Amino acid sequence: MGNASASICRSLTEDIVSGKLPPGQKLEELVLAERFQVSRTPIREALRELHARGLIDLQPRKGGIVRSIGLDDLSDMLEAMVELDALCCRISAERMSAVQKKQLQMVQQQSEDCVARGDEAGYLQLNHQFHQLISAGAQNRSLAAMLSNLRERLAPFRAAQTHVERRLPVSHDEHQAILNAILASDAEASYEAMRNHTARLSINVLDLLKAQQGGDAPGRAPSEAPAAPKLRKPAAKVAATAAVKKPAKAAAVKRRA
């Protein structure tokens, strides 16, 4: 996908996730080409990508129609993300090199500066680096590939949390707990710190989507507060653990399920 189509895809994704483009809304190629001042070729590429992400249904030679975001499917992906992220962090605590740990410390320090300045864009970039370093530290290509795929699919939903109060300071504090556990080579504490961090983000995402699908405006408290969404009882641990190189850890992971 070229730069133009990627930019269009990001813009339309944000509009769909935020509710600006509601379910059933038609996305006509000609109208979109005029909106973004491009030819229809990058529009078609962007629409194909949105279709691949499950955000729209395609109409041949016409455009697309915004789909209703399935909370069950989204919950499944978030549940998998929570467990895989935590598992990756557990392994990283045991395998990360001294250089990688130092890099993680530096990223965390730079993130603190962004929080102090209120630099959200800078923080989000460093947040990506923080998680990438942990993923690399696990030294497991299969696990890294699964996480990368899930992160890409969930990125637009997780990025839509701009309304969450004290989002950056809370995230930074949780990163500090993760960092402390990794520096101490404490696998269990690393697992719990990352799982708590990712689970909180996942609940925020489900809250946002439930509010939107219930007809409440994004960024505003629902008129009738729904029951707090909960991720289902972890079921991904056993399957995910089979991907790692140390089978002895599998029993420990399963016991925590």
Side-chain angles (χ1 to χ4, degrees), residues 89 174 177-179 181 188-198:
C89 196
E174 290 172 348
I178 293 168
L179 174 62
E188 293 305 312
S190 297
Y191 177 93
E192 290 297 336
M194 180 61 83
R195 192 176 190 281
N196 290 338
H197 174 59
T198 313

Side-chain angles (χ1 to χ4, degrees), residues 1-17 21 27 32 35-36 38 41-56 152-153 155-156:
M1 193 163 53
N3 290 336
S5 53
S7 176
I8 294 166
C9 184
R10 283 194 299 271
S11 180
L12 292 175
T13 296
E14 290 172 3
D15 287 349
I16 292 170
V17 174
L21 290 174
L27 301 178
L32 292 174
R35 170 185 168 182
F36 292 103
V38 295
T41 299
I43 296 296
R44 287 174 184 147
E45 291 179 354
L47 292 178
R48 282 196 294 268
E49 180 62 24
L50 291 173
H51 176 67
R53 295 182 181 184
L55 296 177
I56 68 170
E152 184 175 351
R153 295 176 67 185

Side-chain angles (χ1 to χ4, degrees), residues 33-191:
E34 292 177 356
R35 170 185 168 182
F36 292 103
Q37 295 295 294
V38 295
S39 70
R40 295 172 76 164
T41 299
I43 296 296
R44 287 174 184 147
E45 291 179 354
L47 292 178
R48 282 196 294 268
E49 180 62 24
L50 291 173
H51 176 67
R53 295 182 181 184
L55 296 177
I56 68 170
D57 289 320
L58 277 181
Q59 294 182 307
R61 298 179 298 278
K62 290 184 179 180
I65 297 178
V66 177
R67 295 179 60 184
S68 176
I69 299 171
L71 288 175
D72 286 344
D73 290 340
L74 183 61
S75 180
D76 283 349
M77 287 192 289
L78 289 168
E79 180 183 47
M81 185 76 181
V82 167
E83 297 302 333
L84 289 174
D85 243 343
L87 178 61
C88 184
C89 196
R90 175 205 293 275
I91 301 170
S92 290
E94 299 173 327
R95 300 182 182 175
M96 254 190 162
S97 68
V99 171
Q100 288 173 317
K101 289 181 178 179
K102 186 62 179 178
Q103 288 175 313
L104 202 62
Q105 284 180 290
M106 292 173 63
V107 168
Q108 178 68 352
Q109 180 58 57
Q110 292 170 339
S111 298
E112 184 175 345
D113 296 338
C114 286
V115 173
R117 297 194 306 269
D119 180 3
E120 183 171 349
Y123 182 87
L124 292 178
Q125 184 176 3
L126 290 166
N127 174 75
H128 178 72
Q129 292 181 30
F130 186 89
H131 286 274
Q132 284 295 100
L133 280 168
I134 294 174
S135 182
Q139 301 175 40
N140 186 296
R141 287 176 293 180
S142 296
L143 184 55
M146 287 188 285
L147 271 172
S148 178
N149 178 267
L150 276 172
R151 284 196 184 106
E152 184 175 351
R153 295 176 67 185
L154 290 169
F157 301 100
R158 299 178 73 181
Q161 303 175 78
T162 54
H163 70 289
V164 176
E165 186 178 1
R166 298 189 70 249
R167 178 188 180 196
L168 300 190
V170 171
S171 176
H172 182 266
D173 289 346
E174 290 172 348
H175 279 191
Q176 188 62 52
I178 293 168
L179 174 62
N180 292 343
I182 289 176
L183 293 179
S185 298
D186 189 332
E188 293 305 312
S190 297
Y191 177 93

Side-chain angles (χ1 to χ4, degrees), residues 189-243:
S190 297
Y191 177 93
E192 290 297 336
M194 180 61 83
R195 192 176 190 281
N196 290 338
H197 174 59
T198 313
R200 179 186 62 81
L201 296 175
S202 299
I203 289 172
N204 286 342
V205 170
L206 291 174
D207 266 333
L208 174 66
L209 267 294
K210 276 195 171 184
Q212 288 176 356
Q213 294 189 9
D216 294 287
R220 188 178 63 195
S223 54
E224 293 184 10
K230 295 181 181 179
L231 295 177
R232 290 173 294 182
K233 185 176 181 180
K237 290 185 182 179
V238 177
T241 309

